[in-house]
Amino acid sequence: MVVTLIAIEEHWVMPELAAALGAVPHQDRDESLAFNEMGDNRQRLEDLGAGRIAAMDAQGIDVSILALTPPGTQPLPPADALHLSRAANDVAAAAVRSNPSRFRSLSTLPMSSPRDVAGELERAAATGHVGTMVYGRSGDLVLDDPVYDDFFAAASELGQPVFIHPQIPSTAVRDASYRGFDPMTDLALATFGWGWHLDAATAALRLVLRGTFDRHPDLQVVLGHWGEMLLFWLDRADSLSRVAGLQRSVSDYMRSNFFITTSGMLNPALLQHALSVTSVDRLIFSTDYPFQQPTREEIDSFLGEFASDAERQKFSSANAASLYGLDI
């Protein structure tokens, strides 16, 4: 069976935004930006043309959905965040127009300027972006703050799925939980080793507890890395529903309002657990390029773990095409 492969969390970077993020005062700078400079990551991130397509061909990926690297524009002052969000969205839209059979894109939003978020989401959607990628915190504002409810209303109305991507925890949280080793171990613990994922899971769980999906039942959210730990803790998280006065259990929201991606973690054990708590209709392929670069052989081997061609096709492309309205 020929399998169409859509990867939905494939990162890129805009040099102007990288420069602006690098100029943020040291105490507020996102140290995970260092990962963009490792190896040939910067070259791969900046390539929205032939080099990226060649990498896709080598992996057997038919369509990549482009998304900026973390932390997007969220650490920037409101005016800068708005200007650079618009610029990045225009660059990504142009890349899609140049290669419409290979690329789609997720918008980035000026979350530090809440009054401008819904408007930029709408503008980006009109230029062809199929969804958006945000982070759990912008300065002192958390994603479930009521100031963002207009954004979630707009995302629901426009049919724009919201991908909540990990970001480095706040300085206060890092000081309390993620320091005390050498600098690189501190950073690894706060990012890919643990902190990124707990931060994203907490942001998603707070949205549930805030009643976001009761107010916007059609809103769809995407979580990477097999659900950022939430799928593995639903037995305990469900106990929060009664306390918070929710209409349904946390598990029910996860099965009806959340899609889960692999982020390049092609581990059959993780797949089997995900299938035990949600359905194959909620699982989507992604590689987290260029930070993860599974080979075509590794991808094919993982696809062989699905019980049927129908399940395999849902995971590899049909679910993504349906969620993002892709005519592939």
Side-chain angles (χ1 to χ4, degrees), residues 190-262:
T191 55
F192 58 82
W194 191 256
W196 265 347
H197 312 294
L198 187 60
D199 194 84
T202 302
L205 189 55
R206 287 182 63 97
L207 284 178
V208 174
L209 298 179
R210 188 71 70 179
T212 306
F213 303 101
D214 294 337
R215 294 189 301 278
H216 312 295
D218 294 329
L219 177 67
Q220 296 298 311
V221 167
V222 184
L223 290 175
H225 307 96
W226 294 104
E228 310 292 4
M229 307 187 195
L230 272 179
L231 293 190
F232 304 90
W233 207 245
L234 288 177
D235 287 353
R236 299 289 283 182
D238 276 343
S239 64
L240 293 168
S241 297
R242 176 180 52 80
V243 177
L246 299 177
Q247 296 177 9
R248 296 179 283 143
S249 68
V250 173
S251 293
D252 282 346
Y253 293 103
M254 292 298 296
R255 285 189 286 265
S256 60
N257 295 98
F258 286 83
F259 283 80
I260 307 300
T261 84
T262 56

Side-chain angles (χ1 to χ4, degrees), residues 67-306:
L68 275 174
T69 54
T73 61
Q74 290 189 213
L76 300 176
D80 293 341
L82 178 58
H83 167 69
L84 287 167
S85 292
R86 287 174 171 169
N89 291 337
D90 290 345
V91 169
V96 173
R97 289 194 298 271
S98 295
N99 287 287
S101 66
R102 305 304 302 272
F103 293 152
R104 295 294 187 274
S105 57
L106 304 182
S107 64
T108 192
L109 299 175
M111 302 300 283
S112 60
S113 183
R115 67 181 183 178
D116 294 312
V117 173
E120 181 56 20
L121 177 73
E122 184 173 358
R123 190 192 77 88
T127 64
H129 292 266
V130 297
T132 193
M133 179 174 282
V134 300
Y135 304 86
R137 173 180 38 80
S138 186
D140 293 330
L141 283 173
V142 291
L143 191 57
D144 62 286
D145 190 290
V147 74
Y148 291 125
D149 203 56
D150 287 347
F151 156 57
F152 289 113
S156 178
E157 183 176 349
L158 293 167
Q160 290 271 296
V162 178
F163 196 126
I164 302 177
H165 193 278
Q167 70 180 144
I168 199 165
S170 68
T171 299
V173 172
R174 289 192 68 190
D175 289 344
S177 301
Y178 298 109
R179 298 199 193 276
F181 304 95
D182 63 272
M184 185 50 70
T185 303
D186 285 355
L187 180 59
L189 181 62
T191 55
F192 58 82
W194 191 256
W196 265 347
H197 312 294
L198 187 60
D199 194 84
T202 302
L205 189 55
R206 287 182 63 97
L207 284 178
V208 174
L209 298 179
R210 188 71 70 179
T212 306
F213 303 101
D214 294 337
R215 294 189 301 278
H216 312 295
D218 294 329
L219 177 67
Q220 296 298 311
V221 167
V222 184
L223 290 175
H225 307 96
W226 294 104
E228 310 292 4
M229 307 187 195
L230 272 179
L231 293 190
F232 304 90
W233 207 245
L234 288 177
D235 287 353
R236 299 289 283 182
D238 276 343
S239 64
L240 293 168
S241 297
R242 176 180 52 80
V243 177
L246 299 177
Q247 296 177 9
R248 296 179 283 143
S249 68
V250 173
S251 293
D252 282 346
Y253 293 103
M254 292 298 296
R255 285 189 286 265
S256 60
N257 295 98
F258 286 83
F259 283 80
I260 307 300
T261 84
T262 56
S263 303
M265 300 168 63
L266 304 184
N267 183 336
L270 299 179
L271 170 63
Q272 293 309 312
H273 181 77
L275 289 172
S276 75
V277 293
T278 190
S279 74
V280 70
D281 299 310
R282 290 275 155 180
L283 303 182
I284 296 178
F285 176 77
S286 70
T287 75
D288 203 4
Y289 180 88
F291 307 106
Q292 302 291 331
Q293 297 180 44
T295 66
R296 187 170 194 153
E297 292 73 22
E298 290 169 336
I299 293 170
D300 288 345
S301 176
F302 184 76
L303 292 175
E305 296 292 331
F306 287 85

